[in-house]
Each structure stands twice: as C-alpha cells, then as structure tokens.
Amino acid sequence: MNQECIEISTKQGKLRGLVKKSSGIHNKTYYSFQGIPYGKPPIGELRFKPPEPFGKWEGTRDAFKEGNCSIQYHILFNYPVGDEDCLFLNVYTTQPKEGAKKAVMVWIHGGGFFADSGSSELYGPDFLVEEDIVYVSMNYRCGALGFLSLENEKLPGNLGLKDQALALQWVHDNIESFGGDPDNVTIFGESAGGASVNYQLLSPLSRGLFHKAIIQSGCSLSQWALQDNPREKALLLARDLGCTSEDPDTVLEFLMSVPAMDLVKSQNNEALRTENERVQRISIIFSPCVEKYGNAPFLTDCPRKLMERGDFAKVPIIIGFTDKEGMLLLIMKKLQFDSINNDPSVLVPQNLAKTPKKEEVLRLGKEILKFYTNTDSLSWDVAPQFLDLIGDIHFAMPLQNARQYFLKQQIPVYSYLFTYTSPRALSYSTVPLSYPDRAEQFVGSGASHADELPYLFSTNMTQCPIPPPNDEDKAFMSKFLKAWTTYAKTSNPNCDGLGVTWKPDNIDNSSFLVLGKVIKPSNGISFPDRTKFWRRICEKYSYSY
C-alpha cells in the first residue's frame, strides 16, 4: 500500500499501523492501529463463555482496518452487520513510543447493549487525538450473545461487560507501547456505554484498571440497564427458536448450535417484551444482570444496593445528560399515543416496587401524565412534554440518583447538562428520517440523546452524513474537547479556554455546568421540579431493584 506505515512492538507481538493526518480542527499527524484482537474469537465452544486473552502472534500484524463488530442489525439503518468473532479494539496516538506517558481515554460504545461498535463510523478519533491523548475504542459482544443468562454456573451472564473488562486489562498491559500511561486511564461512554462505565465502577473484575470515569446519558440505575428475570427471557428466546425445553443444560446446548444471525433476529422479537416495554420502547431484552452463580462474578448484587453501600471504585467522575433525552423516541420512530391513552399505567417505571392493585398503578400513570402534559391524553400538541417524561424516566432521573450515591462517598464529581444544538447534532439528521412531517417541531428545540457525540468524535456515516463543524461548532468543540481531555490528564476538567470555573458538585450545595451556546455554571440541580416530583414517587413506592 502507498500510505505511510509505522511499526511498533507490544507484549502480544509487532503491529504495523498507519500514519494519518487528522481531519479535525487542527490537522495533526497521528498514528492509527485498528483491529487489534484482545480476546480469542468467542465462537464454537467459546460461545457463551467468558472471554479469554488472545495471546501472542508471530511476525508483524497489519493493523490497517477495524475488526468486526458484534453481529447485529445496524443501530441506525437496520441492515445486518458484524460477526461473532468481534473482540477487537483500536488505538490512536500522537506519539507511539514507550515513555511518552500520555493520558489514555477508553471509549465504551452505547447501542442499548444490542448494537453499535467502537468503529470510526460514529466514533472517529480525529478530534480527540488532536488534544494529545491516546484514544482507545473497543468492540464487545452485544445482544443475546453478550448478555444471555441462565442464572447458573454455566451461563451466569454479563459476557459483554466481561469483554470490556478484558479490553481494559489489555490496555493496562499494552498501552505503554503506544505512548500511553497505564496509570492514567479514563473510561468514558454514552447511553449503554455510560451504563457500562457505571458497571465497570461497580465490578471487582475491573478494579484498578482505570482511574477516572465519564458517564454520559446512561447509568446502571436506568430500568433498561438491568435485566429482570434473565432465565425466563433465555427460555423465551429458545422457545422462539424452536426449543421448548425448560432444562437449562438442554437450552444451552440448543442455543450453542443456533446460527448467530438467527439469535440476533429472535432477540428482537416483541414476544420477549412486556406491555410496558413495548409501549415505552426504550427497553432492552438482554442487558446486564446480577450474577448469583459462578466463580468470578462481574456484578455481585443489584446496582442500587452496591451504590448505596458505596461498593464501587472511588475515582473522580464526570456525569450528566442532555436537556432533551426523550427525543430518542422520535429517532426510534415509536410514539404510541393510543396505547398510552388506553392504559396510562404503562408509564409507571418498571423498577418501582410493584403495587398490589392495578387501579393504583393506573392512578399513578394518570398522575405522571398529568404532571408532564397538564392533560389527560397524549397528542402531538403535547409530544414535547411527553418526550421530557420519557427522557426523565430512562435517563435524567436515574443519573440524578447515581450522582447522589457518588457524592455521598465524597469523591470528586463534576455534573453537567448538555444543551448545545447545531446542524451537526445527530437529531438534525435522524429525526427527519423518522418523522419528516414533524421534524420542524422538534429539531433544534434542545439536545437529544446522543447529540453530544459528533462534537467529541469525527463521523463517517454515508447514509446519514454529518456536516463538518462550522465556526460556532469549532468554538464550542474547542472548549468541550479541552474539558474532557484535560480531565483525563489531570482529574480536573478546568482548563484555559473553558472561560468559566467548573466546580465539583456537592451533596449539600449542588451545582452543574451547562454545556450550551453559552457555557456557564449553574447552582442547584437540573430540572428541580421534575426531580422533586420523581423523588416523591420513589420515596412512596420505593424500588424493586
């Protein structure tokens, strides 16, 4: 090939990467090493097994292209992509030599635990590497292949999270070869990636492998982030594929033989969802679960109980969300007004403790609907308020609760609310694809779930091109990127150019940073009236997990 190459040595063997010029704001030279295997292919007898280190290779391995993502339907465009052999990561650096000791940022992608990847299609390195850090992205097993559990020793669950932990171990062992500092690693992620970061904080398997965390728009306390009754869902999946046995060993033997794409097709079957999940739609069938069996559990107890006890890694944390998280429902094209109007009880979060009477749940559903919309029924007239409700249930309120648990441990916590919008935001491109006649009502009204991503990462989506940053974007991004990377370097996001002081949050005197057209600190908490409403409900009904 004509492109300039570079060769380095790692503990696994020699790697040949590419010399590239960033297409970000500053156009810097960086070095790209893609498709590095960190785990043995989880295929054949290794399907549904914890990941094993890949080991060494002979000779020099080309690292010119990204490895397979987990087999799935593309999260935005719904075509089949990926492979079971998916345990690969990518490393991007500006100084690939030992002793450089650069801060390392490890990205854990979102995608609802069922899709997406660490690829440069959405998570390109060009902006971050210009800030002189080592950037790592990874793939891990998703869907049933990553999160099926039979609640026994043979398949306790959380394989995808264990993949992530093995990738972090690889970073610890090898990142010096790329100029990174194994003692200065920040993990960060958004949506299910944010929840994954939260789970890595909770797990004994990854303790000591990272030193800072950034949790964006997703945490372990979100109802979609913890699988309820995993064995039941595994049996339903097997039944959908043709196995009617309820014996776990028989079911596992059967699922070991099913083609991977058949598993992917079946895991999206509506029959595996509850009525609430079908209506609220931001629900995930196969996600992390508590491990009751096994020798080395990733998750030893319910996230809420672990966080209440302070049983998690005590590292600095950035945590926050966007101001219009619920617009994700528009992108998913799943507004179901009639279903909710016929039965408002489906709005009651499923991780509230179950109430004994159906009429009480119905009354609570009506109360929630009335609080947000000031009406008794949903329509497009009150859709923005309904989307705030969905965003609060699934993202904002769980993150507020997680923030409280972190603050109680008196660790540095920096809270934020992301409000910046421009044509570069994902929602500008994706909402018109789903609701072309309604896009004008919503696009630009606030930052949707995942809208911050194109300001952190370069993108390369041919079906949904994101425009290059304009001058206003560049001014915002220079501050946003600098804050994230300065935090990775120093444990403190304050830096020259931010223009304000971002104070650590305080449990007795709350504050957060608004990341918007104007970056400014704000006292108190985001959405105080809505937070107060949910705290009252949660105090009354408690949580079931």
Side-chain angles (χ1 to χ4, degrees), residues 353-361 541:
K354 304 297 186 289
T355 50
K357 297 178 181 178
K358 172 70 174 176
E359 56 265 28
E360 187 173 3
V361 182
Y541 294 97

Side-chain angles (χ1 to χ4, degrees), residues 188-258:
F188 68 135
E190 186 269 345
S191 193
S196 294
V197 169
N198 193 167
Y199 276 121
Q200 296 299 335
L201 285 163
L202 298 177
S203 179
L205 299 190
S206 52
R207 206 61 54 87
L209 297 178
F210 59 90
H211 314 91
K212 279 151 280 192
I214 303 176
I215 299 173
Q216 300 174 210
S217 297
C219 68
S220 65
L221 302 184
S222 298
Q223 65 181 35
W224 49 263
L226 187 70
Q227 189 178 171
D228 199 14
N229 300 317
R231 180 183 289 195
E232 179 184 336
K233 291 182 178 178
L235 296 178
L236 284 171
L237 177 72
R239 190 174 305 140
D240 190 61
L241 288 162
C243 175
T244 58
S245 174
E246 296 198 358
D247 173 64
D249 288 345
T250 303
V251 168
L252 180 57
E253 183 179 359
F254 170 77
L255 292 175
M256 288 284 289
S257 69
V258 173

